[in-house]
Amino acid sequence: MSATPAAASSLQAALSYCVKQVRSYDYHHYLCLLHLPPPMRKAAFTFRAFNVETAKAMDVVSDPKTGLMRLLWWKDVIDKVFANKLVEHPVAQALSSVVLDRKVSKHWLKRSVEARINDANRDEGAIPETSAELERYAEDTQSTILYMTLQAAGIQSTVADHAASHIGKATGLLLLLKALPHHVNKQGVIPYIPASVAEECGLLTREGGRSEVRIDDRLPDAVFKVASVAEAHLHKARDLASSVPREAIPVLLPALPAQVLLDSMRRCEFNVFDSRVSRGVHGVSPLWYQLKLNWYAWRNKY
């Protein structure tokens, strides 16, 4: 009889770990999740924590092979979770509970981690050829979180799924742009500006079959072009708002942090190396961000 309280305590600790991870590494989305109805939060925080674990797998190690092994381990974890096998990791424990309680597609979890594995397997310094490739990566790593949250909440709406797709793509593209200084410091190259955009801006060099993006005064032009694709996705998502079921709107609140980040980049003339972009929460004070988020949530908008 004592096993049940112990199991409940272990699950509570796992869920607490998920919340702390999201708060520490994905604060702008952490605040969004607080606006979800309480029954939806367990799954939402678990999915975001899973994304945190896979997103930072390559960043917390000095050897890329170690990071790749970590991603492959998470791919294996998904199979074990859906086979109802115990995995001694708090995010895996929370995921097992969510999968048991809610209808969650294994496909979306697999797609998310496989996108990161494919990205980690790219040749060193390789860049995507087109914006469409970057959009696909953004959808696989960001939209999938929203798809699963809608699914776990029992919200079946093609319109909501389409809005989630656009919001995830916008979020993913803008976060990749914001992270460019980090990648330059770590790798010495610009990894997430498509070759087609770099060529259009006069930034592309090709040597020995390898493409590289130069870092000079024209880089903000390239950032602007990618950010404009993200902005178009936000507009498309909001054009669907009147047809989105009311209960789905809190799930789509991450459109707001994407807009805040876009606006911050615009104020800095799309120079992502400007320190103002990374101040506070996406370039604005935490208080202002929370007020804006509360205003959107209160008006049931995204």
Side-chain angles (χ1 to χ4, degrees):
M1 294 295 289
S2 60
T4 301
S9 176
S10 177
L11 176 58
Q12 192 57 45
L15 292 172
S16 178
Y17 175 87
C18 289
V19 172
K20 288 176 182 175
Q21 286 295 90
V22 178
R23 182 171 184 171
S24 297
Y25 295 99
D26 195 2
Y27 188 64
H28 54 279
H29 283 134
Y30 165 81
L31 293 174
C32 288
L33 299 191
L34 296 181
H35 288 283
L36 289 173
M40 295 170 65
R41 290 180 194 169
K42 173 183 169 183
F45 272 110
T46 298
F47 299 145
R48 285 284 171 194
F50 173 81
N51 187 61
V52 165
E53 295 291 337
T54 56
K56 67 187 182 79
M58 298 298 292
D59 284 336
V60 296
V61 294
S62 55
D63 181 4
K65 290 182 181 178
T66 305
L68 181 58
M69 286 175 62
R70 189 68 179 168
L71 288 171
L72 291 169
W73 182 82
W74 275 110
K75 183 180 178 181
D76 187 49
V77 164
I78 296 168
D79 289 329
K80 289 180 177 178
V81 163
F82 278 84
N84 203 23
K85 294 179 180 178
L86 179 66
V87 180
E88 292 293 341
H89 189 286
V91 174
Q93 286 178 273
L95 202 54
S96 293
S97 177
V98 170
V99 166
L100 192 65
D101 292 346
R102 309 274 179 161
K103 182 183 177 184
V104 179
S105 173
K106 182 180 179 181
H107 167 73
W108 296 127
L109 284 165
K110 272 289 185 74
R111 185 171 161 182
S112 171
V113 73
E114 283 171 357
R116 297 199 185 277
I117 290 169
N118 292 337
D119 187 55
N121 270 324
R122 285 191 304 161
D123 292 338
E124 188 176 351
I127 59 175
E129 281 297 317
T130 64
S131 293
E133 287 182 44
L134 213 54
E135 288 174 85
R136 189 158 52 249
Y137 178 72
E139 178 174 27
D140 289 347
T141 55
Q142 294 294 327
S143 302
T144 50
I145 304 171
L146 301 178
Y147 297 153
M148 290 187 293
T149 306
L150 289 167
Q151 191 178 49
I155 300 170
Q156 297 181 340
S157 166
T158 303
V159 179
D161 287 342
H162 283 163
S165 174
H166 289 302
I167 292 167
K169 287 176 182 175
T171 298
L173 291 174
L174 292 166
L175 289 176
L176 288 173
L177 292 174
K178 185 186 179 186
L180 286 180
H182 164 75
H183 291 294
V184 170
N185 289 336
K186 187 175 182 182
Q187 303 169 23
V189 296
I190 297 280
Y192 295 113
I193 295 292
S196 58
V197 172
E199 189 166 33
E200 192 177 340
C201 296
L203 292 169
L204 190 69
T205 60
R206 296 187 190 269
E207 288 184 19
R210 175 177 164 173
S211 299
E212 193 170 304
V213 181
R214 286 196 298 274
I215 304 173
D216 65 27
D217 293 343
R218 292 168 293 182
L219 184 58
D221 295 336
V223 171
F224 166 74
K225 289 183 181 295
V226 177
S228 295
V229 175
E231 184 171 33
H233 282 298
L234 283 177
H235 287 318
K236 288 175 183 176
R238 286 170 173 156
D239 286 343
L240 296 168
S242 61
S243 302
V244 169
R246 187 176 180 85
E247 65 271 20
I249 289 179
V251 179
L252 305 178
L253 200 53
L256 188 275
Q259 185 67 59
V260 169
L261 179 53
L262 178 64
D263 292 343
S264 292
M265 288 183 183
R266 184 175 284 113
R267 281 194 300 275
C268 296
E269 298 180 327
F270 296 95
N271 176 14
V272 290
F273 289 86
D274 189 319
S275 61
R276 290 176 294 171
V277 175
S278 55
R279 285 180 193 165
V281 181
H282 282 347
V284 299
S285 75
L287 177 60
W288 175 248
Y289 177 81
Q290 289 188 61
L291 288 172
K292 194 159 189 172
L293 191 63
N294 291 346
W295 175 247
Y296 269 70
W298 180 69
R299 295 177 67 202
N300 211 38
K301 291 180 64 177
Y302 60 82

